[in-house]
Amino acid sequence: MALDEILITRAIIDGYYQKLTSNLETDVAIVGGGPSGLVAGYFLAKAGRKVVLYERKLSVGGGMWGGGMMFNDIVVQTDALHVLDAFGIRYRRFQENYYIADAVEAASTLTSKAVQAGLTVFNCVSVEDVMMRPEGLCGLVINWSPVEMVGLHVDPLTVRAKFVVDATGHATEVVKVVVRKVPGKLMTPEGRIEGEKSMWADQAEKLTLENTREVFPGLYVAGMAANATVGGPRMGPIFGGMLLSGEKVAAELNARLG
Ligand code: 48H
């Protein structure tokens, strides 16, 4: 049977339209498709939650693809190996407590397993604002990334979520919007964005996990955004903290969702 270009077009538009409209209201909306966001999405989807992830770029994976300085391997410490195991990502021992995984295998497998578990990913979509009510944050304001990049004056659309996770990495973009636009303090030591500190891998990895929590009613931080918001150093190309942070935020939200 001859293939019809219009049917191909219709299939894409119908499929995408269905995906979009069935995700206008979700349990959890994750902003940012780096390792922490993908792991959070995977565990939430596995638990049967309706969870969506918005990623500004064409590809998800965030800062994982390039390993350290584009040497595309990542290091993971013993405490986080169970997350690699949950995804079936292979690793090899370097020495006690230091394991190496291929960055490309890690990023692609996190993505593939998360989507297969039920996480819906919208790439090329940027979160530019939040939806707020007196009881807290309750949704996101989204637009096509190219609109943002070109600077077109095009109004956005809105999605509702019971909880939002800021997994935007160093930039901690959702928290910044809240600080700029919403009266009230963050649930951080000084009530504001505490800021990311200089490199100290050991402290950073511990703090990433501690700092993964709710920082404003309805808004959680995970991954590098947790340290940038609650205060903690950077850690370089060791990714255990990112994986454990995603796992932790999923567990906390699962408990909150009941
Ligand atoms: C949609 C957005 C928006 C927005 C940003 O940076 P990431 O990889 O995030 P993490 O925290 O999961 O992982 C951090 C890790 O990659 C890293 O940078 C490390 C370990 N650094 C250590 C060091 O010392 O430097 O991914 C965040 C993602 C990116 O893909 C962005 O494009 C995306 O979020 N994003 N998506 N709307 N407003 N802002």
Side-chain angles (χ1 to χ4, degrees), residues 74-227:
I74 56 165
V75 170
V76 175
Q77 61 275 49
T78 312
D79 287 351
L81 291 181
H82 67 275
V83 183
L84 293 182
D85 289 334
F87 281 86
I89 296 168
R90 298 168 302 169
Y91 50 85
R92 61 188 194 280
R93 189 176 180 275
F94 177 66
Q95 63 177 62
E96 196 188 345
N97 204 28
Y98 296 80
Y99 293 81
I100 304 170
D102 181 88
V104 174
E105 176 177 344
S108 59
T109 307
L110 290 183
T111 307
S112 152
K113 291 280 166 64
V115 172
Q116 286 179 352
L119 172 69
T120 304
V121 174
F122 291 104
N123 55 340
C124 302
V125 173
S126 289
V127 171
E128 61 169 61
D129 205 341
V130 297
M131 179 159 66
M132 194 58 74
R133 293 291 182 272
E135 49 288 359
L137 196 147
C138 61
L140 294 170
V141 177
I142 58 172
N143 212 331
W144 300 119
S145 300
V147 166
E148 180 192 65
M149 288 157 74
V150 179
L152 299 178
H153 188 164
V154 178
D155 271 352
L157 292 173
T158 308
V159 290
R160 180 174 289 128
K162 290 176 189 152
F163 294 101
V164 168
V165 179
D166 184 339
T168 62
H170 298 268
T172 190
E173 290 199 17
V174 185
V175 176
K176 278 187 186 145
V177 169
V178 170
V179 167
R180 197 170 69 242
K181 293 197 168 185
V182 184
K185 291 190 168 177
L186 296 179
M187 301 172 209
T188 60
E190 303 292 333
R192 55 170 166 78
I193 294 177
E194 307 295 338
E196 182 189 301
K197 311 292 185 286
S198 291
M199 182 81 80
W200 187 359
D202 188 58
Q203 280 292 309
E205 287 292 275
K206 287 179 192 127
L207 282 171
T208 305
L209 200 54
E210 264 177 47
N211 291 340
T212 298
R213 56 187 174 84
E214 193 173 26
V215 293
F216 194 87
L219 175 62
Y220 280 71
V221 284
M224 212 56 230
N227 278 3

Side-chain angles (χ1 to χ4, degrees), residues 31-38 54-57 59-64 125-128 145 148 167-171 173-174 196 199 205 222-225 234-239 242:
V31 188
S36 65
L38 288 170
Y54 299 100
E55 167 55 51
R56 169 180 286 140
K57 294 185 181 152
S59 61
V60 289
M64 201 174 220
V125 173
S126 289
V127 171
E128 61 169 61
S145 300
E148 180 192 65
T168 62
H170 298 268
E173 290 199 17
V174 185
E196 182 189 301
M199 182 81 80
E205 287 292 275
M224 212 56 230
R234 67 189 302 181
M235 69 295 288
I238 179 160
F239 278 78
M242 300 300 127

